[in-house]
Amino acid sequence: MIVADKKPIEEIIEEIGDHKNVLILGCNECVTVCEAGGKKEVGILASALRMYFLKEGKDVKIDEITLERQCDHEYLEEIRDGIDQYDAVVSLACGVGVQFTAEKYHATPVYPGVNTCFLGATEERGLWTERCQACGQCILAKTGGICPVSRCAKRLFNGPCGGSTRGSCEINKEVDCAWQLIIDRMKDLERLDDYEQLSPLKDWSTDRAGGPRKVVREDVQQ
Amino acid sequence: MQYPADIKIIRVPCTGKVDVIHILRAFEKGADGVYVVGCMEGDCHFNAGNFRARKRVEQAARILDVIGVGGERVRMYNLSSSEGPLFAKYAVEMDEKIRELGPNPIKLPKKSAA
């Protein structure tokens, strides 16, 4: 999932500035799971903002809506009838949701309410870690299911490097050496012979280097 | 056994049920202070309910500090169900503390807005 973290309330107050009718727009997907922008976080932020503006003597209306997703036209359409009553939206979706909402509702400023961090997993409640950088050409089949693109600081394809010490990466002892994990896993899978094979140069044209990417699937297009 | 009459008790099955939003809504509706009374730490029938409540009380306090309502208006207490006099003592303590702090700062603007 896409992992995001909450922005400080002070920053959101600054974003809102002098707007008088603000919609806090949550998303029921990834940001709900990572407890940054779901219905619950929308409620907490909206309540805090209402109290803040009241205390400041400012007449600001803060409403709350949480959509199923903000990255799909059909769900974003649900707010079309009411969007004109707001002069700003604070979206608690990931950067995709913020942009898609802004693209759809041109006349309304849309501000981000979370910092979008990475594609990751929930290791335990309150701990999310990165697992994928969406490089566009998955090589997990060759690396025992452990990704050196996202988990090796140097993105090495024939690791480990000399900085790997007792299973830790040289950038931080808390970070596992991805290549140590790969070797351990290959051992468990009895595939160490595969590890001995040199990986060819990776085609990075599917990564961000080629600019914004798109996936076109004519078979499912209507 | 007596405790201040202006304290409204909201019963929950376990303090683990209390969420940040419940505390904030109480302030939004004009409460001057909120305190959560849970079982003794280590005695939770659901193992971690009172620890969760404490964390949420701390989160609510941080938010109240940021928005200028004041994090000291919210507090967590622990006692066992047989400690009636201690319950009353905590109620008096909280009541005095809130009287010292004065009314919830959103109350006055709220009244004038209405």
Side-chain angles (χ1 to χ4, degrees), chain A residues 70-111:
Chain A
Q70 288 186 36
C71 53
D72 261 325
H73 287 297
E74 62 177 299
Y75 298 113
L76 268 179
E77 280 298 324
E78 290 173 10
I79 56 168
R80 181 167 295 284
D81 291 342
I83 193 78
D84 288 343
Q85 62 179 295
Y86 302 107
D87 51 15
V89 173
V90 175
S91 165
L92 297 198
C94 67
V96 180
V98 176
Q99 291 183 65
F100 218 43
T101 307
E103 281 169 35
K104 203 173 232 335
Y105 301 112
H106 265 282
T108 313
V110 182
Y111 302 108

Side-chain angles (χ1 to χ4, degrees), chain A residues 183-201:
Chain A
I183 292 165
D184 292 346
R185 178 98 169 111
M186 294 298 252
K187 238 187 242 173
D188 291 346
L189 296 172
E190 296 179 355
R191 282 180 51 199
L192 269 181
D193 288 346
D194 293 348
Y195 166 66
E196 298 289 335
Q197 313 266 322
L198 282 180
S199 290
L201 288 175

Side-chain angles (χ1 to χ4, degrees), chain A residues 26-29 66-72 74-76 93:
Chain A
C27 180
N28 251 343
E29 295 285 344
T66 299
L67 299 177
E68 196 56 37
R69 277 198 287 281
Q70 288 186 36
C71 53
D72 261 325
E74 62 177 299
Y75 298 113
L76 268 179

Side-chain angles (χ1 to χ4, degrees), chain A:
Chain A
M1 68 173 162
I2 296 172
V3 178
D5 200 4
K6 289 197 265 189
K7 270 190 186 292
I9 295 175
E10 299 95 315
E11 194 178 330
I12 295 171
I13 289 170
E14 207 169 297
E15 286 177 352
I16 292 173
D18 291 327
H19 293 301
K20 296 285 177 222
N21 285 296
V22 180
L23 173 65
I24 310 295
L25 191 61
C27 180
N28 251 343
E29 295 285 344
C30 315
V31 288
T32 296
V33 181
C34 63
E35 304 189 37
K39 194 175 179 186
K40 194 184 249 189
E41 292 74 31
V42 166
I44 290 170
L45 177 64
S47 174
L49 290 173
R50 276 192 293 267
M51 282 195 274
Y52 170 79
F53 288 117
L54 203 55
K55 190 187 73 64
E56 294 295 301
K58 292 182 181 172
D59 185 19
V60 182
K61 186 177 162 236
I62 307 277
D63 281 350
E64 320 164 18
I65 295 177
T66 299
L67 299 177
E68 196 56 37
R69 277 198 287 281
Q70 288 186 36
C71 53
D72 261 325
H73 287 297
E74 62 177 299
Y75 298 113
L76 268 179
E77 280 298 324
E78 290 173 10
I79 56 168
R80 181 167 295 284
D81 291 342
I83 193 78
D84 288 343
Q85 62 179 295
Y86 302 107
D87 51 15
V89 173
V90 175
S91 165
L92 297 198
C94 67
V96 180
V98 176
Q99 291 183 65
F100 218 43
T101 307
E103 281 169 35
K104 203 173 232 335
Y105 301 112
H106 265 282
T108 313
V110 182
Y111 302 108
V114 300
N115 292 319
T116 307
C117 302
F118 49 76
L119 301 180
T122 310
E123 293 219 24
E124 58 186 73
R125 195 166 172 203
L127 175 64
W128 294 274
T129 52
E130 186 163 19
R131 286 289 187 281
C132 178
Q133 290 204 338
C135 70
Q137 198 191 42
C138 192
I139 51 140
L140 286 169
K142 291 179 181 168
T143 56
I146 292 152
C147 175
V149 180
S150 59
R151 301 188 66 184
C152 167
K154 293 176 177 169
R155 291 175 151 201
L156 288 184
F157 279 80
N158 294 287
C161 71
S164 175
T165 311
R166 290 182 188 154
S168 293
C169 175
E170 64 182 337
I171 61 157
N172 185 342
K173 279 184 188 160
E174 305 278 302
V175 176
D176 289 329
C177 167
W179 275 99
Q180 184 66 56
L181 296 176
I182 291 170
I183 292 165
D184 292 346
R185 178 98 169 111
M186 294 298 252
K187 238 187 242 173
D188 291 346
L189 296 172
E190 296 179 355
R191 282 180 51 199
L192 269 181
D193 288 346
D194 293 348
Y195 166 66
E196 298 289 335
Q197 313 266 322
L198 282 180
S199 290
L201 288 175
K202 181 173 163 62
D203 173 11
W204 288 104
S205 66
T206 56
D207 191 67
R208 267 282 300 155
R213 297 164 284 177
K214 63 168 91 168
V215 172
V216 182
R217 285 271 313 275
E218 285 176 3
D219 58 327
V220 293
Q221 280 178 341
Q222 288 176 346

